[in-house]
Amino acid sequence: MTGTALIYSIHRMEHWWRCIGDHLGYARAVVLTDRRGAGDRWVTDDFYAAYEAIRSGRATAPLLLDADEAADVIARCRVLRWLPVEQATAMAQAMAQAMDRVLDEVAPSVVTGFPIDSYVSDVLARRARARGIPYYEVTASALPGMCMLMHRGKLITSEAPVDDAAVEARIGEIAAPVFTPTYVQNQAPFTRTRFLKTFWRFRLRGWVFSALSMLRRDPLNLHYLDAQSGLGHKPRLRDLKVIGMVEPDWLARVEAFPRERRMLFGLQLLPEAAIDYWVDDLDMVRHEDMLVEAARHLTDAGYLVVVKDHPLQFGFRQIALLERLKTLPNVVIVPYEVSGNQMLALCGASLTATGTLGLQAGLLGLQSVTAEAYYVPRDDDFIILRHWNELPGLAGRLRDTPAPDDLHARQARIVSHLLRGSFHADFFSFQTFDPASPDDATAELGRRLGDRLRQLGPDGENWHGRQMPPGGGDHPGSPLN
């Protein structure tokens, strides 16, 4: 066992990660957090020291992010982009200095954690990249019972061939019209009462977290700031109007259009890492603006835009997006109760930046418009939106993209790609994890994750070295540069 694994843990997950780290098979595993006293190492005190020095003008350490990179970090973070620019910039620069100190002290050979979803993990990944240290994001695979590794939306795949029988078995499992992702199963009814319960529970949570941040002398902690209702994306009581925004005759309006002219907009969790950190073009990070612009061009071209909100977004969605879409002709909002599978059966095309509906649409042979999501094996299986300036031509691309000649071949490509990036382990073991009695599933996840990290690391297949050369970004400050 050689080398050190640095694990970044989000709030209250450090014990689960500690168990994983103990079984990775590295000489040492260090669990890093941004909360004072949590994990093996925390950045809290280093962060505040750097932040106060920067804000007071007494900083002597060099700033590690240039102006373009700091702006990119702020634009992608669901918290920083709502704060005053001077404060957000100082927080990003201070976190870069704090993370650099950790990397100096720990000297890891690998960094891992959950998918990048805030400026904290974003900055850690950038500083690791500057040192040539591979960063692996661990999450549940789209294939049930498996985990996968990603880096900023790219699936980290092995070069090893996959078994044809496994491909066929998985096609039968996830290409079926009845497939539903684990996280959207068993949803409660979408009622006014449920909306208000959700709203007030999270409003109270924000007040409690604000008090805790003061008591714990940690007022700028991302976990506490993210809970505050003052952030621009948080819902307001007026958003309860979403209950009445569904047309009673939505199905008749959908069926009035030819199926090939029905474009499903499967809305995603917002803000969400897949949108903020998977796209390179910062204009595309303005996800709601992108949706409205796409809908404008599509409806002008004679498409019906069918809007299906994400079931986990109920009680969190600001209705401003829906109101903007409703000003356009031929836009229909369907009930939350209607499943994504039902809508895919009704529509001939789907647009979702990165969500699972895009994967399902591709597997079912529909025209699937998406960003460079983890499930895209090659461009001709999906219609890829990489840049804002591609939106005016979207209707033309849809018109010129034929149905697959061989649907099964497309399904096999997609599933093979997913299998090459997945490994068997129970990602959801954290849901029942007890630090006083660590379970076998978490230990096994640690062992298999460790094997995967070594297989794909610099001494193995060297995925980062092959797939992420310096200068891969399209704009100054890009995390791929």
Side-chain angles (χ1 to χ4, degrees):
M1 299 197 304
T2 60
T4 296
L6 179 64
I7 302 170
Y8 175 68
S9 173
I10 62 172
H11 186 70
R12 297 179 66 180
M13 296 294 290
E14 56 270 11
H15 296 297
W16 182 74
W17 278 117
R18 176 72 270 156
C19 181
I20 290 175
D22 288 342
H23 293 86
L24 284 176
Y26 284 80
R28 184 171 65 134
V30 176
V31 177
L32 172 68
T33 75
D34 67 345
R35 289 193 306 126
R36 189 181 289 109
D40 304 314
R41 175 71 161 83
W42 52 90
V43 294
T44 314
D45 298 314
D46 292 337
F47 165 77
Y48 281 109
Y51 177 80
E52 294 300 333
I54 293 169
R55 292 286 275 173
S56 66
R58 295 183 288 99
T60 57
L63 299 180
L64 298 174
L65 306 175
D66 64 30
D68 289 326
E69 193 169 16
D72 191 279
V73 169
I74 292 168
R76 295 179 187 278
C77 181
R78 64 184 180 271
V79 170
L80 291 193
R81 59 181 170 233
W82 297 109
L83 301 180
V85 173
E86 296 81 4
Q87 179 185 355
T89 302
M91 289 173 66
Q93 295 286 8
M95 190 58 71
Q97 291 185 13
M99 289 300 185
D100 231 43
R101 183 170 180 180
V102 171
L103 293 172
D104 278 340
E105 293 177 0
V106 176
S109 52
V110 62
V111 183
T112 190
F114 288 143
I116 295 169
D117 70 344
S118 73
Y119 87 102
V120 180
S121 47
D122 183 16
V123 166
L124 173 58
R126 290 171 188 261
R127 298 313 304 157
R129 181 175 172 82
R131 295 166 180 250
I133 304 170
Y135 193 108
Y136 300 88
E137 302 166 55
V138 184
T139 190
S141 173
L143 302 173
M146 303 187 81
C147 297
M148 64 183 181
L149 301 179
M150 297 188 302
H151 188 80
R152 298 188 181 275
K154 296 179 183 294
L155 187 64
I156 299 179
T157 54
S158 169
E159 295 180 308
V162 297
D163 179 67
D164 290 342
V167 172
E168 292 302 319
R170 292 293 183 167
I171 289 174
E173 184 176 23
I174 73 167
V178 297
F179 173 73
T180 302
T182 304
Y183 59 84
V184 298
Q185 296 175 10
N186 304 317
Q187 288 292 306
F190 302 96
T191 62
R192 177 187 179 91
T193 299
R194 178 181 170 189
F195 184 101
L196 290 172
K197 284 182 177 179
T198 300
F199 178 87
W200 286 115
R201 182 171 75 252
F202 281 88
R203 184 60 61 91
L204 176 61
R205 180 174 180 264
W207 295 334
V208 172
F209 279 12
S210 181
L212 285 174
S213 73
M214 297 298 121
L215 288 171
R216 293 174 177 173
R217 298 178 295 109
D218 198 2
L220 299 181
N221 184 279
L222 179 93
H223 184 66
Y224 299 138
L225 288 177
D226 191 29
Q228 301 312 306
S229 60
L231 297 178
H233 63 272
K234 296 293 185 178
R236 308 290 186 261
L237 273 176
R238 71 180 292 270
D239 297 314
L240 179 60
K241 288 169 58 179
V242 71
I243 299 291
M245 294 191 72
V246 176
E247 292 94 339
D249 62 342
W250 67 269
L251 183 56
R253 291 192 58 194
V254 169
E255 292 178 337
F257 273 72
R259 185 169 184 262
E260 66 272 11
R261 288 279 173 168
R262 304 171 193 166
M263 168 62 77
L264 174 62
F265 273 29
L267 303 187
Q268 298 171 254
L269 294 173
L270 189 71
E272 188 224 16
I275 297 164
D276 297 333
Y277 294 99
W278 293 13
V279 294
D280 191 44
D281 183 356
L282 278 182
D283 284 334
M284 297 291 282
V285 173
R286 295 163 36 220
H287 183 63
E288 293 192 350
D289 292 338
M290 184 274 284
L291 290 174
V292 174
E293 184 72 1
R296 183 172 68 82
H297 290 293
L298 289 169
T299 55
D300 285 348
Y303 279 83
L304 175 73
V305 172
V306 184
V307 181
K308 168 75 175 77
D309 203 358
H310 195 292
L312 299 183
Q313 194 68 21
F314 185 74
F316 299 97
R317 174 79 64 195
Q318 288 189 353
I319 61 171
L321 169 62
L322 303 180
E323 289 175 332
R324 292 170 66 191
L325 289 170
K326 287 289 289 180
T327 64
L328 301 171
N330 299 327
V331 173
V332 177
I333 301 174
V334 305
Y336 280 92
E337 288 81 3
V338 179
S339 73
N341 292 327
Q342 290 174 275
M343 296 316 304
L344 288 173
L346 286 171
C347 296
S350 164
L351 185 154
T352 179
T354 55
T356 306
L357 278 178
L359 165 63
Q360 293 173 270
L363 288 168
L364 293 172
L366 307 183
Q367 293 180 312
S368 183
V369 183
T370 186
E372 292 186 277
Y374 65 88
Y375 49 74
V376 177
R378 66 187 203 188
D379 282 12
D380 56 352
D381 289 325
F382 295 84
I383 297 175
I384 312 300
L385 282 176
R386 293 183 173 89
H387 301 285
W388 185 277
N389 60 18
E390 295 174 343
L391 296 175
L394 179 56
R397 292 176 67 183
L398 286 163
R399 182 182 59 250
D400 296 338
T401 302
D405 292 332
D406 186 335
L407 176 57
H408 185 269
R410 174 196 279 188
Q411 293 171 338
R413 284 191 297 271
I414 295 171
V415 172
S416 294
H417 177 70
L418 291 173
L419 279 170
R420 288 175 56 224
S422 302
F423 60 97
H424 288 279
D426 181 10
F427 176 78
F428 297 103
S429 67
F430 65 82
Q431 294 176 332
T432 57
F433 182 77
D434 179 2
S437 180
D439 56 274
D440 292 339
T442 302
E444 185 64 13
L445 170 56
R447 286 187 286 271
R448 295 189 178 187
L449 174 59
D451 291 342
R452 193 72 171 173
L453 295 177
R454 286 181 288 276
Q455 176 190 1
L456 296 166
D459 296 329
E461 296 181 16
N462 192 23
W463 184 91
H464 286 77
R466 291 184 292 105
Q467 301 293 336
M468 297 191 65
D474 287 337
H475 66 276
S478 167
L480 301 182
N481 284 329

